[in-house]
Amino acid sequence: MKLETKLFAYGVLFFVPVGLVYGIWSHGEPVGTVAIPLTGGLVGMIGAYFALLSRRIDARPEDDEHGEIDQGAGDQGVFSPWSWWPLVIALASAIVFTGLAVGWWLSGIGVALGVIGLVGWVFEFSRGQHAH
């Protein structure tokens, strides 16, 4: 996790000064002057989370400079095979963003469909053939 912590810490060192320079250069344009330093703050929160997480977990094979590829072999997580729920969530996202252009009522339908898709995806292994 040390690499990820450094990556996001460098993001803070980039976004905050760039936001200040942008604010001076654009004569205080309100959106960018606020949004760019806030992006640095968000990146900083992610970096702080990774710094705290790296103290709690053991070193991964990626963190070892002399690590071998076979040290990272094995299961990397649990993924649902042949799941249709990500497609439902993608369709719901498309409907929400179409609703921003067409009408707010369409966004409501997309949000409802998105909630249904998210609940279905989360509880996919809790019913039917894959129930545990």
Side-chain angles (χ1 to χ4, degrees), residues 6 10 32 45 50 63-65 67 69 83 86 88 90 99 103 106 114 117-118 131:
K6 288 179 184 177
Y10 294 149
M45 286 192 294
F50 282 155
D63 295 330
D64 185 11
E65 289 184 20
I69 293 175
S83 178
V88 173
L106 194 57
L118 185 62

Side-chain angles (χ1 to χ4, degrees), residues 80-96 110 113-122 124:
S80 50
W82 307 291
S83 178
W84 287 91
W85 291 112
L87 184 63
V88 173
I89 293 173
L91 178 67
S93 300
I95 291 172
V96 168
L113 183 63
V115 168
I116 292 169
L118 185 62
V119 169
W121 199 14
V122 167
E124 183 171 26

Side-chain angles (χ1 to χ4, degrees), residues 13-99:
L13 297 176
F14 173 78
F15 282 114
V16 172
V18 166
L20 296 174
V21 169
Y22 178 82
I24 293 168
W25 181 66
S26 68
H27 305 293
E29 187 269 326
V31 175
T33 304
V34 173
I36 297 173
L38 282 179
T39 302
L42 292 173
V43 168
M45 286 192 294
I46 296 170
Y49 172 73
F50 282 155
L52 292 173
L53 186 65
S54 68
R55 293 181 190 160
R56 283 187 267 159
I57 64 172
D58 296 331
R60 302 174 305 162
E62 297 89 27
D63 295 330
D64 185 11
E65 289 184 20
H66 304 291
E68 298 292 328
I69 293 175
D70 62 347
Q71 290 176 333
D75 290 335
Q76 298 294 323
V78 178
F79 305 99
S80 50
W82 307 291
S83 178
W84 287 91
W85 291 112
L87 184 63
V88 173
I89 293 173
L91 178 67
S93 300
I95 291 172
V96 168
F97 286 110
T98 303

